[in-house]
Amino acid sequence: MHSPVPAAALMNWSGGKDSALALYHALRNPQLHVKALLTSVNTHYQRVSMHGVRLELLEAQAQRIGLPLTQLRLPEMPDMAEYEAQMRATLAPLQEQGITHSVFGDIYLEDLRQYREQQLARVGMQAVFPLWQRPNAELLREYLALGFRAVVVCVNDRYLDQSFCGRLLDEDFLRDLPAGVDSCGENGEYHSFVFDAPYFSSPIPFERGELVRRTYQAPATRQNSTPTSTYGTEASTSASPFAAGFWYTDLHLA
């Protein structure tokens, strides 16, 4: 009896710890064949959406993973209609390659999951969530035990002060998080850049640059839709974390 052919999938790759851990599980899933990475890019700054990471570092990740990278190229302040139209246009050639599934690193934001599933269903694709509803502490223990290494590149100053930006995402960082801050950053408290992973061919050498603060406003959204950040990362419909100030650590490829 023949084994079922694994479904061709793309990984929604932010370059941070959650997408990195989700990719680890997707690569080990015999029902999936991950064929590509998809990353939202802010064309104004030429950086990874929301994370603020330079494209040369994103490309270094893709090279070390050994998967082709597709960029979802977005203007600085897209509205929902523009974001969704650009997403459909970007997915179309990937679907032509036979890709039917889209993998995400979301953990427990139910409205975000529903939004992703609804948007993909419109183009005949399915969403996959390898980390869904796993306890934070369990995920972080796994992340550290597997040898992932990351640096915090962005913090939302509604939750964390600038001293957290640029730190390694390790046990010391997690221990120092203030009460009430989600340890996995699921509410947009912080974002990270993974510079080493079990499936990287080698670690990515980097240097820390300047620390910069930027302020953004939540964009207008369509009725009955989940809002998107200025960089195409969907937020919860309650108290969007994107209408706030953010500290960024600029990383350079060493």
Side-chain angles (χ1 to χ4, degrees):
M1 186 174 181
H2 295 292
S3 300
V5 177
L10 66 86
M11 179 70 222
N12 289 273
W13 178 260
S14 70
K17 64 168 180 50
D18 293 337
S19 65
L21 188 57
L23 177 58
Y24 173 84
H25 288 284
L27 291 170
R28 294 166 63 85
N29 184 342
Q31 297 178 345
L32 294 176
H33 176 198
V34 182
K35 298 182 67 175
L37 305 174
L38 175 63
T39 304
S40 298
V41 169
N42 179 321
T43 56
H44 178 75
Y45 291 108
Q46 291 295 303
R47 292 172 183 258
V48 175
S49 299
M50 207 58 240
H51 292 222
V53 171
R54 292 173 180 266
L55 296 188
E56 62 183 11
L57 288 163
L58 169 65
E59 291 164 354
Q61 289 179 321
Q63 290 166 0
R64 283 161 173 78
I65 295 169
L67 289 174
L69 171 68
T70 295
Q71 296 180 16
L72 171 61
R73 298 183 65 79
L74 298 166
E76 186 175 8
M77 295 290 288
D79 60 23
M80 285 303 297
E82 188 175 14
Y83 167 70
E84 291 169 4
Q86 188 61 41
M87 176 64 85
R88 288 192 296 270
T90 303
L91 289 176
L94 294 169
Q95 289 181 278
E96 291 174 1
Q97 298 173 28
I99 291 177
T100 58
H101 289 60
S102 188
V103 183
F104 298 92
D106 303 311
I107 303 172
Y108 59 74
L109 296 181
E110 186 64 44
D111 58 347
L112 179 52
R113 174 171 177 151
Q114 291 176 3
Y115 173 80
R116 298 199 195 283
E117 291 175 333
Q118 290 167 0
Q119 293 302 309
L120 287 172
R122 290 180 180 179
V123 297
M125 294 182 68
Q126 297 183 44
V128 182
F129 301 89
L131 309 184
W132 188 248
Q133 292 189 337
R134 288 183 56 190
N136 281 10
E138 177 184 301
L139 289 173
L140 292 166
R141 281 197 301 270
E142 182 178 51
Y143 157 86
L144 293 170
L146 289 171
F148 285 95
R149 291 191 292 168
V151 58
V152 176
V153 290
C154 172
V155 300
N156 184 328
D157 66 9
R158 179 180 294 178
Y159 304 104
L160 297 171
D161 64 50
Q162 66 191 79
S163 68
F164 285 89
C165 200
R167 290 182 57 174
L168 292 178
L169 180 52
D170 55 15
E171 292 179 353
D172 290 340
F173 175 88
L174 298 170
R175 185 182 59 246
D176 292 344
L177 289 175
V181 171
D182 184 89
S183 57
C184 283
E186 270 286 271
N187 300 307
E189 292 97 333
Y190 69 88
H191 299 290
S192 59
F193 171 77
V194 172
F195 61 90
D196 198 11
Y199 44 76
F200 278 17
S201 59
S202 62
I204 298 172
F206 68 91
E207 296 176 350
R208 293 174 179 82
E210 64 178 334
L211 191 64
V212 177
R213 186 181 187 275
R214 298 191 185 280
T215 303
Y216 302 102
Q217 296 299 318
T221 60
R222 291 208 311 259
Q223 187 176 6
N224 299 324
S225 68
T226 300
T228 178
S229 81
T230 55
Y231 297 130
T233 303
E234 297 80 8
S236 171
T237 52
S238 59
S240 169
F242 297 104
F246 295 84
W247 286 99
Y248 293 91
T249 292
D250 191 15
L251 302 183
H252 302 267
L253 197 59

